[in-house]
Amino acid sequence: MTGKLYLVPTPIGNLEDMTFRAIRVLKEADLILAEDTRTSAPMLKHFNIHQKVFSHHQHNEHQSSNEIVKFLLEGKNIALISDAGTPAISDPGFYLVREALKFDIPVECLPGATAFVPALVNSGFPTDKFCFEGFLPLKKGRQTRYKFLADEERTIILYESPHRLLKTLDEMATYFGDRQISVSRELTKMFEETVRGTVTEVKTYYETHPAKGEFVICIAGALPNEADKKKKKYEDDEEED
């Protein structure tokens, strides 16, 4: 009998968002994999979870996944958590899941906290169809993604860090125009905040209010005629070059 790999969401801020099922699975697991054991320790202690915890992050994911698969094949049940939210959503986890499935190891993902869902619902933008991009490339390929997303008619969701927020808003103004956006930060925490308005209005706000915490940016989708105008502009620019 092989073991099972559990992907267990953890609170993104408010510990009251931890589910009873998540606590039970973590207590019953033979071992827990955490993105940062120091970050996870207070949360695990709060819920009286004392299982062995090993580090599994983006820098050792490929190497450690081989060892983890061996443990799973030996029959051990392993739970994977990230620093906050659902594992593998802009966090380590995808590679391990893929490796486990190669060996027909059962994988079970529990439902739970993730940052982009409340940010999307709070935005007031259409939620029937949306495009989740996570973190855009820092350098190579960043402009290409912006140009591609400029024509996207679904609501767009991005993650961004505080030190890059103003620069990202500048870039959005260039590629999307002064479109309506919604920026949420510190979701579920004491200083949770959502700022809505045009790109210019939101940028003006954060120029006088220090950007702190992790950010989720929701962007209104392009109108059909807006996408056509953007396409024509890029074609004209290429002809001039």
Side-chain angles (χ1 to χ4, degrees):
M1 289 287 291
T2 61
K4 180 182 284 191
L5 173 64
Y6 293 90
L7 279 70
V8 183
T10 54
I12 59 175
N14 192 325
L15 290 178
E16 292 180 0
D17 293 334
M18 190 73 163
T19 68
F20 292 120
R21 183 180 171 200
I23 295 171
R24 176 183 60 78
V25 168
L26 290 176
K27 286 185 176 181
E28 293 177 354
D30 292 301
L31 61 93
I32 297 171
L33 304 174
E35 186 177 359
D36 188 329
T37 56
R38 296 165 300 180
T39 300
S40 300
M43 183 273 295
L44 295 173
K45 182 178 179 181
H46 178 84
F47 292 111
N48 199 29
I49 298 168
H50 302 293
Q51 263 57 15
K52 291 182 180 179
V53 182
F54 295 91
S55 178
H56 182 80
H57 48 75
Q58 63 177 343
H59 301 297
N60 74 349
E61 186 172 19
H62 287 66
Q63 180 180 353
S64 67
S65 290
N66 295 328
E67 294 299 319
I68 295 162
V69 167
K70 289 180 183 178
F71 286 136
L72 289 163
L73 291 173
E74 290 171 359
K76 295 187 182 297
N77 292 320
I78 299 177
L80 172 66
I81 61 176
S82 64
D83 286 347
T86 301
I89 301 296
S90 292
D91 277 318
F94 160 73
Y95 182 81
L96 176 57
V97 170
R98 187 174 64 180
E99 291 302 298
L101 293 176
K102 284 181 182 178
F103 291 88
D104 294 323
I105 296 169
V107 177
E108 186 172 329
C109 182
L110 280 61
T114 189
F116 77 82
V117 173
L120 171 62
V121 175
N122 276 339
S123 71
F125 299 144
T127 57
D128 56 333
K129 296 178 182 179
F130 58 89
C131 171
F132 175 72
E133 285 286 316
F135 290 97
L136 292 178
L138 292 180
K139 293 181 180 179
K140 186 177 180 181
R142 191 175 179 89
Q143 291 185 359
T144 301
R145 290 310 298 167
Y146 274 127
K147 290 179 180 179
F148 177 81
L149 291 171
D151 296 340
E152 177 59 66
E153 296 180 16
R154 295 171 294 178
T155 302
I156 303 166
I157 306 170
L158 306 177
Y159 284 166
E160 193 51 274
S161 58
H163 70 278
R164 292 189 60 88
L165 180 65
L166 291 178
K167 181 179 180 181
T168 296
L169 292 174
D170 272 335
E171 294 169 341
M172 286 170 53
T174 298
Y175 292 98
F176 299 150
D178 208 16
R179 202 178 294 183
Q180 290 288 323
I181 63 172
S182 174
V183 178
S184 297
R185 72 177 186 92
E186 295 290 83
L187 288 165
T188 79
K189 300 178 183 177
M190 183 180 296
F191 299 106
E192 176 179 335
E193 176 183 59
T194 295
V195 180
R196 305 173 185 86
T198 64
V199 174
T200 299
E201 290 169 343
V202 174
K203 181 174 182 291
T204 298
Y205 175 84
Y206 279 110
E207 284 174 339
T208 56
H209 295 75
K212 296 180 180 180
E214 297 301 316
F215 287 80
V216 184
I217 305 173
C218 295
I219 307 159
L223 299 175
N225 61 340
E226 182 182 357
D228 292 339
K229 289 179 181 178
K230 288 283 184 183
K231 183 177 180 180
K232 186 177 185 306
K233 178 180 182 299
Y234 290 131
E235 289 175 348
D236 292 343
D237 289 345
E238 289 175 357
E239 288 178 2
E240 290 177 5
D241 293 341

